[in-house]
Amino acid sequence: QVQLVESGGGLVQPGGSLRLSCAASGGFISDYYALGWFRQAPGKEREGLSWISSSDGSIYYATSVKGRFTISRDNAKNTLYLQMNSLKLEDTAVYYCAAVKPVVAGNQLLSPLPYNYWGQGTQVTVSS
């Protein structure tokens, strides 16, 4: 089964940028129906940020990140990315990538519940 490993987190100032990577091994990201990015801040529920479909290339963003974050996929590198711009203090969280194998309705893909495989998370801290 596929393993996912996030990287690229760190400390960044408000308004700054960061690119997260999610490297897959043991399987191909193209074999999964969709890939998603999530985050979880202390004391809060895991929040869906964005997903990208492997079937038709559909992309969706949560309102909180739309216009600031960009999800992308490189099948040749077997890697998922999240480019984060105009970062805010409230973006501070542990960021996770995830993959789901079965077909799932798009309106369910910002929920963590359908996803089968998860990375370990990478910390993003936005601070002055």
Side-chain angles (χ1 to χ4, degrees):
Q1 57 186 11
V2 69
Q3 288 185 293
L4 305 174
V5 179
E6 302 94 337
S7 62
L11 177 65
V12 64
Q13 293 182 325
S17 297
L18 212 57
R19 189 179 78 157
L20 305 183
S21 298
C22 174
S25 61
F28 299 102
I29 60 173
S30 59
D31 291 335
Y32 293 81
Y33 178 72
L35 308 169
W37 283 100
F38 298 79
R39 68 187 180 192
Q40 189 164 21
K44 295 186 177 181
E45 298 295 319
R46 191 162 296 189
E47 174 190 13
L49 305 176
S50 181
W51 57 262
I52 181 167
S53 171
S54 297
S55 58
D56 62 3
S58 297
I59 291 173
Y60 191 84
Y61 297 98
T63 301
S64 60
V65 304
K66 187 176 178 64
R68 300 189 298 124
F69 291 11
T70 302
I71 192 171
S72 62
R73 173 184 59 204
D74 189 333
N75 288 342
K77 296 181 179 179
N78 210 25
T79 301
L80 176 73
Y81 301 97
L82 185 68
Q83 177 66 46
M84 305 186 295
N85 299 326
S86 302
L87 285 163
K88 305 174 181 179
L89 296 179
E90 53 264 41
D91 293 322
T92 296
V94 177
Y95 283 69
Y96 300 89
C97 64
V100 57
K101 184 175 292 184
V103 175
V104 179
N107 62 2
Q108 299 177 13
L109 286 171
L110 284 185
S111 167
L113 297 179
Y115 289 82
N116 307 108
Y117 302 97
W118 292 85
Q120 83 292 341
T122 185
Q123 177 71 47
V124 172
T125 302
V126 184
S127 180
S128 300

